[in-house]
Amino acid sequence: MSAAAELSKADDRELVSFRVGGQDFCVDIMSVREIRGWTPATVLPHAPSYILGVINLRGAVVPIVDLAARMGLEPIRPDARHVIVICVVDNQTVGFLVDAVSDILSVKRSLIQPTPAVSSDVTRAFFEGVIAIDQRMLRLIDIEAVLPPIAARQERA
Amino acid sequence: MLTILAIDDSRTIREMLRETLRNAGFDVHVAVDGLDGLEKLHDIAPDVIITDINMPRLDGFGVIEAVRAGTSHAALPILVLTTESAPDLKERARKSGATGWIVKPFDDAKLVSAIKRIAAH
Amino acid sequence: MSSSIDIRQTFFQECEELLEALDDGLNALAAASEDGSVDSETVNAVFRAVHSIKGGAAAFGLESLVRFAHQFETALDAMRSGKLVATPDIVRVFLRSADYLADLIASARDEVPPTSSAGPDLMERLAQLVPSNGARMPAQPAPATPAPTTVSDADDLGFQPLALAFDFAPEPASPAGFTIRFAATKQLYGNGNDPVHMFRALAELGALESLADSSALPPLDQMDWATPYLTWELVLQTSESQHSVHEIFEFVDGLCSLEIRELQADAEPDRDQMIAEAADFSTPTPTVTDRPPAEPAASGPARAASGKSAAQSAGQKGSVRVDLELVDRLINIVGELVINQAVLAQCVQDAGIGAQSDVGAGLDEFRNLARELQENVMAIRAQSVKPLFQRMARIVREASDIAGKTVDFVTEGDAVEVDKTVIERLVDPLTHIIRNAVDHGLESAAARQTAGKPAAGRICLSAAHRSGRVLIEVSDDGAGINRPKVRQIAIDKGLIAADAVLTDSEIDKLLFLPGFSTAPKVTDLSGRGVGMDVVRSAIQSLGGRVNISSTPGKGTTMSISLPLTLAVLDGMVVDVAGQTMVVPITAIIETLRPAASDIHPVAGAGKVVAVREKFVPIIDLAETFGHRPTSPDYSNMVLLLVESGQNERWALAVDRIHDQRQVVIKGLESNYGHVPGVAAATILGDGKIALIIDPDETAQRKRPQAAFAPALMTEEV
């Protein structure tokens, strides 16, 4: 985003909201590349339980994270009704499996509240904050924090 | 627009010539050695040739002699590129029929002004 | 500005090529110097390479590079002109100079100091090679001159330096202008000059009036069309210096009679004298001035660049240079095409359309074309190993210098082509192997002579295609691996039990264990904190294997087997507990359907299968990858017999073999990371992803307890 655009939008954030395990979450629209239906993934050995495997996204091998499992909720049993939100952060492409995408909304920065201290520190690190909208609570996910750690990269560095 | 055929076996020098001459508004073609230059001469029909001296297959003097001995481009202005400016170089270049010379590493402005002194622009 | 950076990159790229040509030429020269069959074109080519490096370096103001290249070039020029005879000793100095030149280029490119300190010594040696009485030689070598580009050029022309007379030296303060008398000679036109262009250039300096004196024109019937008869009188009103005016006539100096006077002066020049001067242009008249020689290098490369030089020039072999990224994109797209073809074929099959139908035949043709296209696109990335081998020749020279050993370095199969990335990633492991061969492989000259061998050791580096892979071998004719010593070191380091029973080949493989080094003290050469284990893992990460074999007293050979490309591989598509996986065919020795009686448990630690009286440990892939608990019965499964880089064998148990096919390799690393036991992924005909197994890593991780000795020693990190 250009500096000027940044300035004019400084007060607003565009977010994509979705439902996972009966709760509302959202991510910054800047990191969302596309939204697609569920396709069966190829299982990765020795992977954490929240990694469902990898799918073929137009020739790229993209890992799929069960966002529910990642958040400590009941793992999703994926079927055709589920949706994958493809995100790109730092050139790493990852798909997040969610129950359904709800909306795209524009939220004033000032409305983003710090994450309440109810959850464990680990889980809390997944969120940038929470937003109250229409008597719902939207949990704003910090994509980088929920990305699966790239083990080999750290090993090889 | 002036069309220039630049002959040099060094890719670096070729690219420098190409860039400098393009920026000066010339139409630039390059050849990688003397023979290549002579082969392209007919198709390109340049207004000026710029040639290196020391090249494989056919050197710069060979290019000049061949051009001057031919019929269609005998009076073509030819600039010689050399790494040194020295009086007897000029003599030798001149005796072989060179129109002028440019000393490498060349200065962009000097190169362009040298071309203007030998060709219509 | 970016374009100048582009050209700088071009220069360093070109330097690589020139260094290659230089090495080629010097090696040919080295061979020819032995029997005195030096041919002048070889010397010329070597000279040209150094000359071009110097020329480019001067353009970028790389002074130390220019200075050394100049000295080198001067010595080569002496050889070119027959003043210096190519002896093996002299060629050795040239080879070392070429190495140093390469070092200087790398240092200029990376903007770091040169790693070698050989410069001053080589400069002196090169200077000594040049006959001091040679009148053709520049009066002063470069070091004495502050600006390197002003040194006399010994290449283009032989000449004696002449003092230049500048008779306009102190410039009078801003004259009002000049009167110029100018008469051309025939030669002026013959050389392609035309007064009209010069006059136009003059007009750019100020207001110009010109008057043609046609009094010398003969009657029409006596006129020679090629002889100029006109004399011009020009009045230029300008504030420019006389030097600027002279500069315009620079090229015709001596081809014309020219007189330039300040506007105030109105002395009439003697017409007859002018004509006389014009008749003999080869004797410059005293009134004709010259411009100063070349500017110092500092002002030379002040290149005001703008715009982008996009076009690439044609190379000498009729090749084009292509951005690697473009090639990789092409390879990816072609990979997609191949996958797409497979998807289509599957759809057609699922739709119940037979292979005999037109659609089936068309798809077959499609597959063949896609495959052919893919092979050709892959070939774009292929490069000959020659530059790599030349680099190794430099390593040998450097290493043998330090070790004080004389080494004959021989290469074979320089023209063998391998994927560019494979070549790049081979540099480090191969450097290490070569250094090892010089340092540890070869004995000292004295020891060699005692053993009845020639004093000079021999190292051979070869490349060859072997059944779809590239085999690279480094062999020396040294003493071979000192097995008792290796064994003792392994025991001392606690790598093996003191009473371990090892075969010769197992002892040799100890060298690949992490941290192993046979040198009693870490030498300057091979030490450097890396062991052969690093070499092995580097090769393995390329999908390669490394092997060692040695004969006491005769020498050691390291063999590296590599895939031709990192983009595709031939795989066996198998079913592992419902998951489709791919095993690289190169790893598979054979497939077995074992009888229940061939399979034996080894206590509680796993099972082995008897293959021609040898017991091979079984690795159950489904269990290894966590798809299900270990299978109670392997007799209804298929075993893939694989061999690791260390000649160890395992049997990989899979449920079923589907197919054999070439698959496009897709990395997992960028989006996910390394998966243990998995080399990469691929996309199958149905669009699903299948994992490609890394048999070696799988075996390392799942090493059955029953494996033989070396297996016990490898410590997994």
Side-chain angles (χ1 to χ4, degrees):
Chain A
M1 193 184 280
S2 73
E6 186 84 76
L7 208 64
S8 71
K9 292 270 182 182
D11 284 348
D12 283 353
R13 281 186 72 174
E14 301 261 352
L15 304 169
V16 175
S17 70
F18 42 79
R19 288 183 72 80
V20 179
Q23 300 185 10
D24 291 299
F25 296 89
C26 58
V27 293
D28 197 301
I29 202 164
M30 295 306 291
S31 44
V32 177
R33 278 308 123 86
E34 66 177 277
I35 292 161
R36 49 173 296 157
W38 161 256
T39 40
T42 299
V43 175
L44 286 177
H46 314 294
S49 61
Y50 58 82
I51 299 285
L52 293 170
V54 283
I55 61 162
N56 165 19
L57 184 72
R58 288 184 302 281
V61 178
V62 175
I64 304 300
V65 173
D66 175 347
L67 203 50
R70 184 68 171 137
M71 299 290 170
L73 304 169
E74 180 74 15
I76 298 173
R77 292 189 178 279
D79 60 39
R81 285 166 302 175
H82 287 97
V83 173
I84 295 171
V85 180
I86 305 283
C87 295
V88 177
V89 178
D90 282 346
N91 294 323
Q92 187 184 358
T93 307
V94 177
F96 292 98
L97 180 70
V98 303
D99 289 334
V101 170
S102 344
D103 213 351
I104 293 173
L105 35 100
S106 187
V107 173
K108 289 216 178 309
R109 274 172 199 279
S110 54
L111 293 178
I112 301 171
Q113 310 168 21
T115 312
V118 286
S119 41
S120 76
D121 282 350
V122 179
T123 315
R124 213 163 55 160
F126 291 160
F127 304 109
E128 280 185 49
V130 296
I131 302 153
I133 287 183
D134 303 335
Q135 295 169 333
R136 287 185 297 154
M137 184 174 79
L138 272 179
R139 297 145 190 89
L140 177 54
I141 293 173
D142 179 352
I143 293 279
E144 272 183 77
V146 296
L147 285 183
I150 298 188
R153 255 187 219 164
Q154 288 152 354
E155 237 171 65
R156 286 170 190 199
Chain B
M1 197 191 333
L2 275 186
T3 300
I4 295 177
L5 174 61
I7 313 173
D8 199 306
D9 60 331
S10 158
R11 195 162 70 224
T12 309
I13 304 294
R14 281 200 302 275
E15 295 212 354
M16 284 184 161
L17 286 169
R18 192 203 295 272
E19 181 183 280
T20 304
L21 297 172
R22 278 226 174 118
N23 290 341
F26 300 127
D27 180 24
V28 191
H29 299 261
V30 295
V32 298
D33 61 33
L35 272 189
D36 188 33
L38 290 182
E39 278 163 16
K40 288 175 174 163
L41 184 60
H42 182 73
D43 281 343
I44 294 169
D47 300 302
V48 176
I49 292 178
I50 298 176
T51 182
D52 186 25
I53 297 281
N54 201 310
M55 293 182 289
R57 301 208 298 166
L58 181 69
D59 68 9
F61 295 129
V63 171
I64 299 168
E65 280 155 21
V67 171
R68 296 282 178 250
T71 49
S72 42
H73 306 280
L76 199 59
I78 304 176
L79 276 184
V80 167
L81 274 176
T82 164
T83 32
E84 194 49 44
S85 128
D88 78 334
L89 164 81
K90 294 175 191 173
E91 278 319 307
R92 182 152 171 207
R94 175 177 290 161
K95 277 187 182 153
S96 64
T99 313
W101 48 86
I102 286 292
V103 179
K104 286 190 278 191
F106 55 82
D107 175 276
D108 292 6
K110 283 212 164 66
L111 174 64
V112 173
S113 103
I115 291 168
K116 289 182 173 174
R117 272 180 277 145
I118 59 169
H121 55 283
Chain C
M1 277 301 155
S2 69
S3 51
S4 274
I5 292 166
D6 282 352
I7 295 181
R8 198 179 150 92
Q9 279 172 353
T10 301
F11 169 62
F12 287 116
Q13 271 171 15
E14 188 178 19
C15 278
E16 290 295 316
E17 292 156 27
L18 291 168
L19 285 173
E20 191 182 325
L22 178 60
D23 253 18
D24 269 356
L26 286 176
N27 285 326
L29 209 56
S33 70
E34 301 281 349
D35 53 19
S37 65
V38 175
D39 97 272
S40 65
E41 192 33 50
T42 309
V43 181
N44 266 331
V46 167
F47 173 87
R48 266 198 307 272
V50 176
H51 180 64
S52 288
I53 290 172
K54 182 181 109 172
F60 293 105
L62 305 170
E63 294 196 12
S64 54
L65 183 51
V66 173
R67 207 173 305 133
F68 186 77
H70 178 77
Q71 191 63 63
F72 194 0
E73 178 192 79
T74 306
L76 287 166
D77 188 54
M79 184 169 286
R80 204 168 66 133
S81 61
K83 291 195 168 67
L84 185 65
V85 177
T87 64
D89 279 346
I90 290 178
V91 177
R92 259 195 293 284
V93 174
F94 285 174
L95 278 165
R96 290 191 49 212
S97 299
D99 294 346
Y100 185 66
L101 197 62
D103 192 27
L104 281 178
I105 289 168
S107 111
R109 182 191 55 215
D110 305 336
E111 293 170 348
V112 295
T115 53
S116 164
S117 56
D121 172 52
L122 284 169
M123 282 287 263
E124 199 176 317
R125 282 174 187 236
L126 288 169
Q128 282 164 1
L129 292 179
V130 180
S132 53
N133 58 348
R136 281 168 46 96
M137 289 302 118
Q140 277 296 314
T145 321
T149 52
T150 62
V151 295
S152 305
D153 189 37
D155 77 311
D156 296 330
L157 308 153
F159 60 82
Q160 274 185 300
L162 290 178
L164 296 177
F166 303 110
D167 54 4
F168 59 91
E171 204 63 54
S174 38
F178 304 93
T179 57
I180 301 158
R181 291 179 72 87
F182 171 85
T185 62
K186 201 167 158 177
Q187 177 85 26
L188 182 146
Y189 290 97
N191 276 8
N193 282 293
D194 191 333
V196 70
H197 304 315
M198 292 177 256
F199 295 171
R200 276 191 192 146
L202 279 176
E204 286 185 2
L205 298 182
L208 183 75
E209 288 169 47
S210 64
L211 186 69
D213 174 358
S214 57
S215 59
L217 269 180
L220 203 59
D221 58 341
Q222 291 166 28
M223 211 191 292
D224 169 16
W225 65 271
T227 305
Y229 297 102
L230 296 180
T231 296
W232 279 274
E233 297 200 14
L234 306 159
V235 178
L236 175 66
Q237 284 173 330
T238 180
S239 56
E240 294 283 338
S241 68
Q242 187 169 355
H243 175 69
S244 314
V245 176
H246 263 287
E247 202 173 25
I248 286 173
F249 294 98
E250 179 195 4
F251 299 150
V252 296
D253 168 11
L255 298 179
C256 61
S257 87
L258 177 66
E259 196 158 306
I260 302 173
R261 288 169 197 275
E262 283 184 28
L263 204 49
Q264 293 82 358
D266 57 354
E268 220 18 56
D270 184 325
R271 165 93 22 105
D272 292 341
Q273 193 202 327
M274 265 168 64
I275 302 299
E277 283 165 9
D280 181 11
F281 58 81
S282 64
T283 313
T285 63
T287 55
V288 169
T289 61
D290 209 330
R291 63 188 279 257
E295 288 70 28
S299 70
R303 311 180 48 79
S306 63
K308 182 141 175 79
S309 82
Q312 310 287 355
S313 57
Q316 299 202 4
K317 292 169 197 159
S319 58
V320 288
R321 289 191 301 136
V322 182
D323 195 338
L324 254 188
E325 214 173 281
L326 215 59
V327 174
D328 287 345
R329 216 178 304 153
L330 198 56
I331 286 176
N332 263 329
I333 293 170
V334 173
E336 296 312 306
L337 186 72
V338 170
I339 291 165
N340 193 261
Q341 183 277 331
V343 174
L344 213 54
Q346 189 130 14
C347 292
V348 168
Q349 200 186 352
D350 293 351
I353 303 168
Q356 269 69 45
S357 67
D358 286 354
V359 174
L363 266 174
D364 245 20
E365 186 60 15
F366 182 15
R367 189 188 61 211
N368 291 340
L369 286 172
R371 181 62 84 92
E372 207 174 313
L373 182 60
Q374 188 171 40
E375 278 168 13
N376 280 281
V377 170
M378 297 293 180
I380 299 176
R381 273 191 66 92
Q383 282 190 333
S384 90
V385 295
K386 194 171 155 195
L388 176 70
F389 279 20
Q390 287 183 337
R391 192 158 170 179
M392 292 308 129
R394 287 204 278 279
I395 301 291
V396 169
R397 285 197 288 275
E398 178 191 294
S400 55
D401 258 15
I402 297 173
K405 294 174 181 174
T406 314
V407 180
D408 283 335
F409 183 65
V410 186
T411 60
E412 284 166 22
D414 294 27
V416 167
E417 294 197 331
V418 194
D419 185 279
K420 184 179 159 61
T421 310
V422 175
I423 289 180
E424 280 164 1
R425 286 167 62 186
L426 259 182
V427 171
D428 285 348
L430 209 50
T431 301
H432 193 77
I433 291 172
I434 294 269
R435 282 205 175 112
N436 249 320
V438 175
D439 209 25
H440 307 312
L442 296 177
E443 320 90 320
S444 67
R448 289 182 65 87
Q449 275 164 332
T450 312
K453 293 180 186 178
R458 185 186 153 94
I459 291 176
C460 178
L461 174 60
S462 70
H465 284 297
R466 287 272 186 291
S467 55
R469 286 174 81 84
V470 178
L471 186 70
I472 291 177
E473 285 193 338
V474 178
S475 52
D476 65 58
D477 69 343
I481 292 172
N482 184 341
R483 293 191 177 116
K485 195 165 118 193
V486 167
R487 190 193 151 87
Q488 193 53 52
I489 290 170
I491 293 170
D492 293 349
K493 295 196 170 175
L495 297 168
I496 53 170
D499 57 355
V501 181
L502 302 179
T503 65
D504 285 352
S505 123
E506 284 161 12
I507 293 176
D508 294 349
K509 278 165 200 143
L510 292 172
L511 293 174
F512 289 119
L513 292 185
F516 193 97
S517 167
T518 53
K521 63 187 164 83
V522 173
T523 67
D524 192 23
L525 282 181
S526 321
R528 308 198 181 185
V530 264
M532 293 302 286
D533 60 318
V534 177
V535 169
R536 196 187 67 161
S537 57
I539 303 280
Q540 280 177 344
S541 74
L542 284 171
R545 302 177 221 146
V546 58
N547 253 308
I548 191 165
S549 65
S550 179
T551 311
K554 294 273 167 61
T556 305
T557 298
M558 301 278 293
S559 319
I560 300 168
S561 154
L562 291 164
L564 285 174
T565 167
L566 300 178
V568 289
L569 66 78
D570 281 306
M572 190 171 279
V573 182
V574 298
D575 185 278
V576 177
Q579 296 280 325
T580 307
M581 303 190 97
V582 177
V583 183
I585 284 192
T586 47
I588 301 174
I589 302 163
E590 61 178 297
T591 58
L592 309 167
R593 286 182 184 279
S597 59
D598 290 336
I599 294 170
H600 309 279
V602 180
K607 289 180 177 173
V608 296
V609 58
V611 183
R612 287 181 292 277
E613 326 219 304
K614 287 221 168 190
F615 294 108
V616 177
I618 294 174
I619 295 176
D620 185 342
L621 287 183
E623 182 209 356
T624 305
F625 289 125
H627 298 321
R628 68 167 177 232
T630 187
S631 172
D633 179 13
Y634 293 119
S635 58
N636 56 356
M637 293 173 72
V638 183
L639 298 180
L640 309 178
L641 196 62
V642 298
E643 190 178 63
S644 79
Q646 295 171 280
N647 289 340
E648 294 166 282
R649 292 187 173 192
W650 288 278
L652 305 180
V654 302
D655 293 345
R656 196 158 76 85
I657 295 174
H658 283 295
D659 196 4
Q660 267 188 29
R661 70 169 76 139
Q662 195 171 52
V663 297
V664 178
I665 298 173
K666 296 277 176 185
L668 280 169
E669 259 82 357
S670 59
N671 286 333
Y672 182 71
H674 182 68
V675 178
V678 173
T682 188
I683 296 169
L684 296 174
D686 57 5
K688 286 224 185 73
I689 290 174
L691 301 180
I692 301 171
I693 291 165
D694 180 339
D696 247 32
E697 203 183 62
T698 306
Q700 302 286 342
R701 295 188 68 86
K702 178 73 189 176
R703 196 181 284 278
Q705 299 302 303
F708 45 74
L712 298 170
M713 299 172 305
T714 303
E715 285 159 11
E716 270 282 298
V717 188

